[in-house]
Amino acid sequence: MGAFIPAIPTIVPKKHAGCGGLQASNHMASQAPKDGSEIAMIASSALLTPLFGDDAAKFDPRKFTWLGSMNDDVSSCGVWFTTGITRFEDMMDKEVVFGASGPGRHHRSACPGE
């Protein structure tokens, strides 16, 4: 990666384990220098965590800057026809239960240290 940055800096990988990037997101917001010398690869779902009211997220996702993507995944959202939801905006007024690929805010104990 350093070969693609002016001055060809040395890149030193550092792992922040935990819940798809929540700990890394908290670290970037509260401890990492704000001079561009530290970057992170964070799951997009982790950046949405504070928007859903999870107190474990100690950061404002609007203050992160997107540099690029490592893949070109396409995400989708679907609901069963009996929910009465026919537009994305309907979810603002109607309750619907969604599944997830990891622990949610009610199961934080699965993420030690968060």
Side-chain angles (χ1 to χ4, degrees), residues 17-80:
C19 300
L22 188 56
Q23 287 181 352
S25 300
N26 284 336
H27 167 80
M28 292 300 291
S30 65
Q31 299 171 22
K34 305 299 184 269
D35 60 3
S37 62
E38 193 167 329
I39 61 174
M41 185 168 60
I42 300 168
S44 59
S45 57
L47 293 176
L48 295 174
T49 304
L51 303 177
F52 293 112
D54 192 331
D55 295 336
K58 308 289 185 198
F59 60 90
D60 180 348
R62 298 169 299 178
K63 294 186 178 178
F64 283 81
T65 299
W66 176 75
L67 297 176
S69 295
M70 297 296 288
N71 58 25
D72 59 357
D73 286 348
V74 176
S75 298
S76 62
C77 176
V79 295
W80 196 250

Side-chain angles (χ1 to χ4, degrees), residues 75-96:
S75 298
S76 62
C77 176
V79 295
W80 196 250
F81 70 95
T82 58
T83 63
I85 295 173
T86 59
R87 304 173 307 131
F88 189 82
E89 292 79 16
D90 292 341
M91 289 189 289
M92 302 306 260
D93 300 319
K94 295 182 180 190
E95 183 175 310
V96 64

Side-chain angles (χ1 to χ4, degrees), residues 4-27:
F4 300 99
I5 301 173
I8 310 174
T10 300
I11 305 293
V12 180
K14 184 172 155 184
K15 183 176 179 180
H16 282 270
C19 300
L22 188 56
Q23 287 181 352
S25 300
N26 284 336
H27 167 80

